[in-house]
Amino acid sequence: MTSVITSKPIINLAGVSKSFGATQVLKSIDLDVSPGEVLVLIGASGSGKSTVLRIMSGLETADAGEVWVNEVPLHDARRARDIRGHVGMVFQQFNLFPHKTALGNVTLALIKARKMSAADARRRGLEALDRVGLADRAEHYPSQLSGGQQQRVAIARALAVEPGIMFFDEATSALDPELVGEVTEVMRGLARDGMTMVVVTHEMGFARKTADRVVFMDKGVIAEQGAPEQIFVNPQNERTRQFLHRVLDH
Ligand SMILES: Nc1ncnc2c1ncn2[C@@H]1O[C@H](COP(=O)(O)OP(=O)(O)OP(=O)(O)O)[C@@H](O)[C@H]1O
Ligand SMILES: [Mg+2]
């Protein structure tokens, strides 16, 4: 993607630090994301990628620094709930309810949290399932769906609340290799439609083809960032080179 992005950031992290016990896992992170941008976070296990996503989505509060997402100051723990419904999250584990159909899983939050009528929720849910290519599986239960299809239902569930930002944390890591493509294809479609996305992934092909910007994290800091062609073809940081060498060799 080569869109020119000029507008005011929709996500702004300034001097964000976070410790768990005695371990500082984020060390004064500064990061902006523009509306419509696809940002991919890469880095070794434990470098802090999930923690960044969890702070951006209000699941975790920073110890220091400012976190603005969609104009909500998430550094203020009391405001964390104000971001709900404005961001969608997709995790490695799909966590679908086994006793609910695909459509039932997608409409649950619309009916319970949004207090939508069953008919409106159904319409919205079917639209979301259609967007991930699963309109014809609406009445299937998770056990009747492949892993890739289940993850697409989880994406539809996140999309159904019409979030302005989508976060993906290793959304394809639990899938058999032959099922990864159908999920990354859905993610690519969202990117093409202009969704603001922050994506943690080990899929370097996805990062290379779909990211507007790649951020390499190393031990709680942003060690390097840039356009995918720069990071993958001409990385400046020795740690980036070592990391890419390791993952691309696999
Ligand atoms: N709730 C928590 N309590 C204690 N330590 C935590 C917690 N969450 C994360 N950590 C620690 O913080 C560090 C960063 O974790 P994080 O999950 O952000 O890394 P990551 O880059 O997402 O790694 P991975 O690629 O393995 O998912 C790790 O050392 C981890 O053990
Ligand atoms: Mg992680």
Side-chain angles (χ1 to χ4, degrees):
M1 303 250 131
T2 49
S3 40
V4 178
I5 293 155
T6 49
S7 33
K8 183 166 163 268
I10 190 167
I11 300 175
N12 167 245
L13 270 57
V16 167
S17 295
K18 179 76 182 174
S19 297
F20 292 109
T23 319
Q24 193 176 7
V25 301
L26 296 181
K27 299 166 186 162
S28 197
I29 299 271
D30 297 322
L31 186 63
D32 282 352
V33 183
S34 300
E37 189 173 16
V38 178
L39 187 83
V40 171
L41 298 180
I42 61 172
S45 180
S47 58
K49 307 178 298 293
S50 294
T51 306
V52 167
L53 271 195
R54 292 175 60 80
I55 285 174
M56 285 175 170
S57 53
L59 295 173
E60 201 86 70
T61 313
D63 297 336
E66 292 201 2
V67 180
W68 291 88
V69 178
N70 217 13
E71 302 189 347
V72 179
L74 288 178
H75 44 273
D76 180 350
R78 289 166 304 184
R79 300 291 306 277
R81 56 179 30 228
D82 297 353
I83 202 64
R84 281 193 211 154
H86 298 284
V87 298
M89 283 215 79
V90 179
F91 301 96
Q92 184 172 340
Q93 301 304 332
F94 336 125
N95 293 323
L96 300 177
F97 287 108
H99 59 286
K100 286 195 177 293
T101 61
L103 185 61
N105 272 282
V106 170
T107 54
L108 190 63
L110 300 177
I111 293 166
K112 294 274 180 213
R114 290 286 177 99
K115 312 286 179 213
M116 235 182 228
S117 72
D120 286 347
R122 183 181 166 81
R123 194 173 327 110
R124 181 85 79 84
L126 286 172
E127 274 168 23
L129 283 169
D130 190 39
R131 214 164 161 194
V132 301
L134 288 176
D136 60 338
R137 296 286 191 279
E139 302 305 332
H140 284 55
Y141 288 87
S143 62
Q144 300 170 318
L145 299 169
S146 71
Q149 290 170 334
Q150 289 182 56
Q151 187 60 301
R152 285 150 65 197
V153 172
I155 295 173
R157 175 180 57 189
L159 288 172
V161 298
E162 301 191 332
I165 306 171
M166 285 284 285
F167 297 118
F168 294 86
D169 195 350
E170 300 197 23
T172 57
S173 295
L175 300 175
D176 290 337
E178 72 271 23
L179 301 179
V180 168
E182 64 187 71
V183 173
T184 51
E185 199 40 55
V186 166
M187 292 167 67
R188 247 181 227 128
L190 296 177
R192 275 195 299 270
D193 290 348
M195 177 67 80
T196 305
M197 294 165 59
V198 183
V199 180
V200 173
T201 187
H202 296 298
E203 292 296 320
M204 294 302 138
F206 176 85
R208 217 169 157 153
K209 276 191 250 163
T210 311
D212 292 302
R213 182 157 47 114
V214 176
V215 165
F216 171 67
M217 290 194 62
D218 183 46
K219 298 185 180 133
V221 302
I222 292 175
E224 183 166 2
Q225 59 178 308
E229 53 271 31
Q230 183 204 316
I231 299 291
F232 288 105
V233 179
N234 193 19
Q236 301 300 302
N237 184 301
E238 182 53 31
R239 308 272 312 178
T240 317
R241 278 191 214 120
Q242 288 169 358
F243 172 78
L244 290 175
H245 208 65
R246 273 205 313 277
V247 296
L248 295 174
D249 260 5
H250 273 223

